[in-house]
């Protein structure tokens, strides 16, 4: 691993709200994050594109830092 990867922080993202009635762009963002059902969780290494995606769907997800 590179030095940057060793010190990277990780977050756990959980889908907490439904996609019913949401804009198609919001649904596409959630699918790109791998969150398609309420309660599903994914772990990610923090990066700028990810933070932008999470900002656009912040009303649908819960985010917790894990490392």
């Amino acid at each position: 691993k590179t030095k940057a990867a060793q010190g990277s922080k990780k977050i756990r993202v959980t889908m907490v709200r439904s996609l019913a009635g949401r804009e198609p762009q919001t649904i596409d963002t959630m699918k790109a994050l791998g969150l398609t059902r309420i309660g599903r969780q994914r772990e990610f290494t923090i990066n700028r594109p990810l933070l932008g995606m999470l900002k656009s769907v912040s009303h649908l997800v819960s985010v917790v830092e894990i490392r």
Side-chain angles (χ1 to χ4, degrees):
K1 292 183 177 179
T2 64
K3 289 182 181 180
Q6 290 175 349
S8 299
K9 292 185 179 182
K10 292 192 122 189
I11 56 174
R12 178 176 293 128
V13 181
T14 306
M15 183 174 172
V16 295
R17 304 270 321 246
S18 171
L19 295 177
R22 304 292 175 187
E23 295 288 328
Q25 186 174 357
T26 302
I27 295 170
D28 291 343
T29 300
M30 291 295 283
K31 285 182 181 178
L33 289 170
L35 301 171
T36 55
R37 292 186 183 177
I38 294 175
R40 290 273 169 99
Q41 296 181 338
R42 293 282 316 270
E43 291 182 7
F44 298 99
T45 301
I46 297 175
N47 59 51
R48 290 198 129 164
L50 174 68
L51 293 178
M53 293 172 78
L54 292 175
K55 184 177 179 181
S56 70
V57 296
S58 62
H59 56 292
L60 302 174
V61 298
S62 168
V63 180
V64 178
E65 187 175 326
I66 58 173
R67 197 176 356 148

